[in-house]
Amino acid sequence: MTQKEQFETRDIWLASALTILLDTPPEYKTENGQTIFVFPKSDKLYKAIADYNGGCLLSAYSYAQVNKRLRSEMIMRRGNGGQR
């Protein structure tokens, strides 16, 4: 089985922005009690990262809501050993 290349980040702020810009939630991976946000690598992903680093405009409300959702997911996964 071939594993598709993935972009991993522990940065919840970047993961929140990517979730909005790509209009897709991340997958999650837990290592040593830390949650890692995983996105499939693509040209669209790299453009979204460049846009985020360039200071693109995001809705503050959407950004806060997505960040809150990812943070709760992160805490929940940390609490049960990454099982979900």
Side-chain angles (χ1 to χ4, degrees):
M1 175 166 70
T2 306
Q3 186 176 4
K4 195 172 183 178
E5 288 190 44
Q6 299 175 328
F7 171 77
E8 299 178 353
T9 184
R10 288 178 170 84
D11 183 351
I12 193 168
W13 302 103
L14 173 60
S16 298
L18 292 177
T19 299
I20 293 169
L21 294 170
L22 298 173
D23 196 28
T24 189
E27 294 182 18
Y28 303 91
K29 193 162 85 171
T30 306
E31 287 181 3
N32 300 324
Q34 291 189 328
T35 301
I36 301 169
F37 304 100
V38 181
F39 295 90
K41 285 186 179 178
S42 67
D43 291 338
K44 190 176 176 183
L45 170 77
Y46 291 119
K47 181 180 180 337
I49 292 171
D51 289 347
Y52 172 75
N53 287 330
C56 68
L57 295 178
L58 295 172
S59 161
Y61 178 78
S62 296
Y63 193 51
Q65 290 299 316
V66 170
N67 188 278
K68 213 159 79 171
R69 187 169 13 99
L70 294 183
R71 187 172 303 282
S72 67
E73 187 73 36
M74 182 177 72
I75 291 168
M76 191 168 52
R77 288 175 182 276
R78 186 184 317 148
N80 65 11
Q83 303 301 316
R84 181 156 190 245

